[in-house]
């Protein structure tokens, strides 16, 4: 099921609280006794059809089966994922409102002066999900044919070339930022409200190029709808074996992948967190999930990384890493 609108998160949280309070036995929403006994909502803070949405829907069904309850995926996009993340941070901490977020959770504090939440303090981590490579792609009739030619063309036409992204703080924006740093050039950026619309315009020829996750570009690359230059990981992607790495293509400074993780509001009962972690780990061993991820150039994280402890440690490290990168680049969200 797909729903939209940021206010639905608060409504769902409120209904969970009402149900808990009206139960003469004290309810299971606040104590996690009998959890889960109602639908769970996973909030995706980006548009439907984008990479994070795709990953979420891959694991939602097997997690639902493991938990024995329905999981509703809700898209609450806006401000580089911070709108949806903020809604979840303020939701009732009962285990029924979950957030799927990507690397943007670690970059938002450095990008936004008034964020409204603190990643390490306002959330409980459930576990890491996957780490997705990025690809440098362009409209299919764009003149450059190799990554080195792309860099040369961009440098020679910096005021004319357009670089699409899904908004400040989105993975595509971060990768685009790293591309410009590695290439030593500044181009005209065109932000969209989500990766889906950005890629649609790229395919349509309205913008020149972008950096996007394989979960979103693999199908377009295989169908010949976009021109692909490189993948931003040390090794080639199995689903795109002919696509060179950025190192092979002559831009070794550009190395980035996008990790995803599940979160719940701080204060969520540990019994609920543990059940969600268990369901996540089960979903990541589902052959259907493994096969779907492989087709899109990624894979589930190892079991030891799909834990709250590993997730928190990774987020802590990434917050420090990106704070320096963003400060050095002088980037700030308006």
């Amino acid at each position: 099921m797909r729903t939209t609108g940021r206010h639905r998160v608060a409504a769902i949280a409120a209904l969970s609280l009402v149900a808990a309070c009206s139960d003469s036995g004290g309810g299971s929403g606040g104590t996690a006794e009998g959890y889960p006994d109602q639908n769970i909502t996973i909030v995706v803070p980006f548009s439907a059809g984008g990479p994070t949405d795709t990953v979420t829907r891959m694991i939602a069904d097997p997690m639902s089966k493991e938990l024995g309850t329905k999981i509703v995926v809700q898209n609450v996009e806006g401000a580089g994922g911070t709108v949806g993340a903020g809604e979840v941070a303020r939701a009732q901490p009962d285990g029924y409102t979950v957030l799927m977020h990507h690397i943007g959770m670690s970059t938002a504090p450095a990008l936004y002066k008034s964020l409204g939440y603190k990643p390490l303090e306002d959330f409980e981590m459930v576990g890491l999900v996957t780490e997705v490579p990025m690809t440098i792609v362009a409209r299919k009739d764009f003149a450059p044919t190799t990554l080195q030619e792309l860099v040369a063309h961009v440098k020679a036409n910096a005021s004319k070339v357009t670089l699409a992204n899904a908004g400040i703080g989105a993975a595509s924006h971060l990768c685009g930022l790293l591309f410009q740093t590695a290439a030593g050039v500044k181009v005209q950026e065109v932000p969209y409200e989500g990766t889906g619309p950005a890629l649609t315009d790229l395919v349509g020829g309205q913008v020149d190029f972008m950096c996007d996750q394989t979960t979103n570009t693999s199908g377009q690359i295989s169908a010949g709808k976009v021109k692909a230059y490189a993948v931003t990981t040390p090794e080639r992607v199995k689903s795109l074996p002919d696509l060179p790495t950025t190192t092979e293509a002559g831009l070794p400074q550009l190395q980035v992948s996008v990790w995803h993780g599940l979160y719940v509001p701080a204060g969520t009962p540990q019994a609920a967190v543990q059940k969600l972690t268990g369901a996540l780990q089960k979903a990541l061993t589902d052959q259907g999930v493994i096969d779907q991820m492989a087709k899109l150039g990624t894979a589930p994280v190892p079991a030891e990384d799909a834990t709250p402890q590993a997730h928190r440690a990774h987020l802590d490290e990434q917050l420090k890493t990106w704070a320096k990168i963003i400060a050095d680049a002088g980037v700030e969200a308006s």
Side-chain angles (χ1 to χ4, degrees):
M1 178 179 177
R2 177 177 296 168
T3 61
T4 58
R6 69 184 68 174
H7 299 297
R8 293 297 297 273
V9 179
I12 291 169
L15 287 173
S16 299
L17 178 61
V18 170
C21 293
S22 62
D23 186 346
S24 59
S28 61
T31 64
E33 181 182 350
Y35 174 88
D37 61 3
Q38 57 184 279
N39 292 349
I40 293 172
T41 296
I42 299 183
V43 172
V44 175
F46 302 100
S47 61
T52 305
D53 181 72
T54 299
V55 170
T56 305
R57 293 178 192 280
M58 282 183 187
I59 66 169
D61 186 56
M63 282 188 67
S64 175
K65 291 177 181 177
E66 180 67 16
L67 291 165
T69 194
K70 185 175 183 179
I71 290 180
V72 178
V73 177
Q74 180 179 357
N75 300 95
V76 185
E77 64 264 30
T82 62
V83 173
E87 293 283 359
V88 174
R90 295 185 293 272
Q92 181 71 13
D94 54 13
Y96 292 101
T97 306
V98 182
L99 173 70
M100 170 72 89
H101 209 336
H102 63 27
I103 192 172
M105 182 65 97
S106 62
T107 61
L111 287 168
Y112 294 87
K113 288 184 177 180
S114 301
L115 187 58
Y117 60 85
K118 297 180 179 179
L120 290 173
E121 297 178 18
D122 294 330
F123 295 93
E124 301 283 352
M125 288 74 205
V126 175
L128 295 170
V129 179
T130 187
E131 194 161 0
V132 183
M134 304 287 284
T135 52
I136 307 296
V137 293
R139 53 183 171 84
K140 64 181 181 180
D141 60 348
F142 203 38
T145 58
T146 67
L147 185 59
Q148 288 186 329
E149 287 182 10
L150 174 65
V151 171
H153 181 84
V154 167
K155 285 184 174 181
N157 301 275
S159 63
K160 301 177 182 178
V161 172
T162 51
L163 173 62
N165 64 55
I168 299 296
S172 52
H173 169 247
L174 300 170
C175 185
L177 176 65
L178 291 178
F179 171 85
Q180 293 175 82
T181 300
V185 65
K186 177 65 178 176
V187 301
Q188 180 182 348
E189 297 185 54
V190 182
Y192 288 78
E193 292 187 0
T195 307
L199 188 58
T200 295
D201 271 9
L202 183 73
V203 172
Q206 278 75 51
V207 287
D208 293 324
F209 78 113
M210 70 181 296
C211 185
D212 199 7
Q213 300 173 62
T214 55
T215 44
N216 213 36
T217 61
S218 291
Q220 306 288 359
I221 292 171
S222 298
K225 294 183 178 181
V226 296
K227 182 179 290 186
Y229 296 103
V231 62
T232 63
T233 46
E235 298 181 357
R236 293 195 180 197
V237 174
K238 290 182 180 179
S239 62
L240 300 167
D242 296 328
L243 189 62
T245 66
T246 48
T247 298
E248 293 173 328
L251 198 65
Q253 308 95 312
L254 180 55
Q255 297 277 322
V256 63
S257 57
V258 180
W259 54 273
H260 295 73
L262 288 179
Y263 305 78
V264 289
T268 298
Q270 284 303 301
V273 176
Q274 290 170 7
K275 286 191 176 182
L276 288 167
T277 297
L280 170 62
Q281 292 175 339
K282 184 72 173 179
L284 296 181
T285 63
D286 183 273
Q287 193 59 49
V289 171
I290 294 171
D291 291 344
Q292 287 181 76
M293 286 191 177
K295 290 179 182 178
L296 298 177
T298 186
V301 298
E304 60 267 24
D305 289 340
T307 65
Q309 296 78 15
H311 187 175
R312 179 171 289 274
H314 186 67
L315 176 59
D316 186 33
E317 181 272 328
Q318 287 280 287
L319 283 163
K320 296 171 183 174
T321 296
W322 281 100
K324 183 179 187 307
I325 292 173
I326 292 169
D328 290 346
V331 178
E332 183 179 298
S334 58

